[in-house]
Amino acid sequence: VGHTNTWIGQFHQGLLEQMYQNRVIFLLNMSCPVYCRFCFRKHKESRNEANPEITDVEKAVEHVRNSPSIKEIIVTGGDPFMNRANMACTIDSLMQIEHVQTLRLATRSVAYYPHLFLADDEKLLNYIKRKNLELQENGKRLEVATHFIHPDEISTQSLRIITDLTKSGVAVYVQTPFLNDCNDQGPELVRLFSLLRGAGAELHYIYIPCSPIHGNSIYWAPISKGIAVGNYLRAHLSDRVIPRICTAT
């Protein structure tokens, strides 16, 4: 059931993919610290695709420069934080484009590789905060998108990273796939969202179901179950904590 490649028929240009007029995706790195079987990019990983290079980044940036309708760039992978050279080139180049408003850096490493941010006297964490200040000086916004499914994925280190970023003015938002027999009852999500909200994160959305690609159907849950869990969250969480429930069409 499902597709082998979830991006069939969509726009491709090196590391750049575009589904919407006002935002594009930069795929800076093909590897990730965790291999999520439900990932809708699981055909793009280190075992069968080479990482993009700086020249690929420059071509993608040039496309953005020539496309004034593009206001946001989602920087992802794999995990883009695991390719520092491509990340630096992307941020520094897009910072100079007037019509770009927001950079959204997507990472699973906050949950599964917090040491990446905290090693070497928090070198990467400090880099993000420094770049946020530079982007603000250029009238732009930096956000970090991270990804938690279950409270078992949360560590004191991951909460510390989120708190440190939000205190420094970097918005952190969380997206949560709704997985059958994993987080589809409600209590797991109540604890998860309470912990993340306490650290300062914005709860962005619950995604039902995961994208239809090969091997993922065991995770699919009926939309009716998602609606029931939404009602459970209403009874146990503040309205300000409840994420939007959505699905793919």
Side-chain angles (χ1 to χ4, degrees):
V1 176
H3 307 294
T4 300
N5 185 323
T6 57
W7 298 94
I8 290 173
Q10 294 167 8
F11 178 76
H12 296 259
Q13 183 171 316
L15 59 76
L16 185 148
E17 294 181 344
Q18 184 163 5
M19 293 176 64
Y20 306 102
Q21 290 186 0
N22 69 333
R23 58 198 182 277
V24 296
I25 291 172
F26 278 24
L27 296 164
L28 295 191
N29 188 58
M30 293 305 162
S31 60
C32 187
V34 57
Y35 187 61
C36 300
R37 288 183 57 209
F38 53 83
C39 181
F40 61 83
R41 288 198 195 100
K42 75 177 183 180
H43 62 286
K44 288 183 174 293
E45 41 82 30
S46 57
R47 286 181 291 183
N48 59 20
E49 288 203 25
N51 278 332
E53 299 179 354
I54 294 296
T55 53
D56 299 311
V57 176
E58 291 171 343
K59 290 177 183 177
V61 168
E62 191 61 24
H63 174 79
V64 173
R65 192 187 315 276
N66 295 326
S67 306
S69 63
I70 296 175
K71 307 300 182 185
E72 295 193 8
I73 289 84
I74 298 92
V75 180
T76 184
D79 198 302
F81 286 98
M82 296 177 68
N83 194 326
R84 306 284 182 89
N86 281 354
M87 176 75 83
C89 181
T90 296
I91 295 175
D92 291 343
S93 299
L94 293 173
M95 192 184 303
Q96 308 304 320
I97 299 177
E98 184 175 358
H99 58 264
V100 170
Q101 298 173 347
T102 305
L103 270 64
R104 295 156 55 182
L105 312 181
T107 177
R108 194 79 159 103
S109 290
V110 175
Y112 276 90
Y113 192 12
H115 183 68
L116 181 69
F117 298 92
L118 301 176
D120 301 322
D121 295 323
E122 303 182 358
K123 183 177 181 180
L124 182 55
L125 195 59
N126 290 326
Y127 169 80
I128 300 168
K129 292 188 284 187
R130 185 171 70 252
K131 287 300 170 182
N132 179 55
L133 292 175
E134 293 179 19
L135 285 160
Q136 286 180 343
E137 290 172 356
N138 285 271
K140 305 185 189 308
R141 175 180 174 85
L142 180 68
E143 299 179 347
V144 171
T146 189
H147 187 159
F148 287 89
I149 299 160
H150 193 278
D152 286 355
E153 293 180 319
I154 289 183
S155 64
T156 54
Q157 291 88 354
S158 62
L159 294 177
R160 175 184 163 197
I161 291 166
I162 293 170
T163 299
D164 201 1
L165 288 173
T166 55
K167 283 184 175 179
S168 301
V170 179
V172 178
Y173 68 90
V174 176
Q175 49 204 22
T176 301
F178 188 73
L179 306 184
N180 193 50
D181 294 330
C182 174
N183 62 357
D184 59 348
Q185 297 300 313
E188 306 95 339
L189 293 177
V190 168
R191 175 152 176 75
L192 176 69
F193 297 152
S194 296
L195 288 167
L196 293 170
R197 175 70 168 174
E202 170 197 345
L203 290 316
H204 184 44
Y205 63 67
I206 297 171
Y207 182 73
I208 312 169
C210 290
S211 293
I213 67 172
H214 290 158
N216 281 7
S217 59
I218 63 168
Y219 294 110
W220 296 354
I223 292 176
S224 59
K225 185 180 279 191
I227 293 170
V229 164
N231 291 333
Y232 184 91
L233 297 181
R234 292 275 298 179
H236 293 85
L237 291 173
S238 163
D239 288 356
R240 293 283 291 119
V241 183
I242 299 173
R244 180 166 53 96
I245 296 177
C246 63
T247 188
T249 61

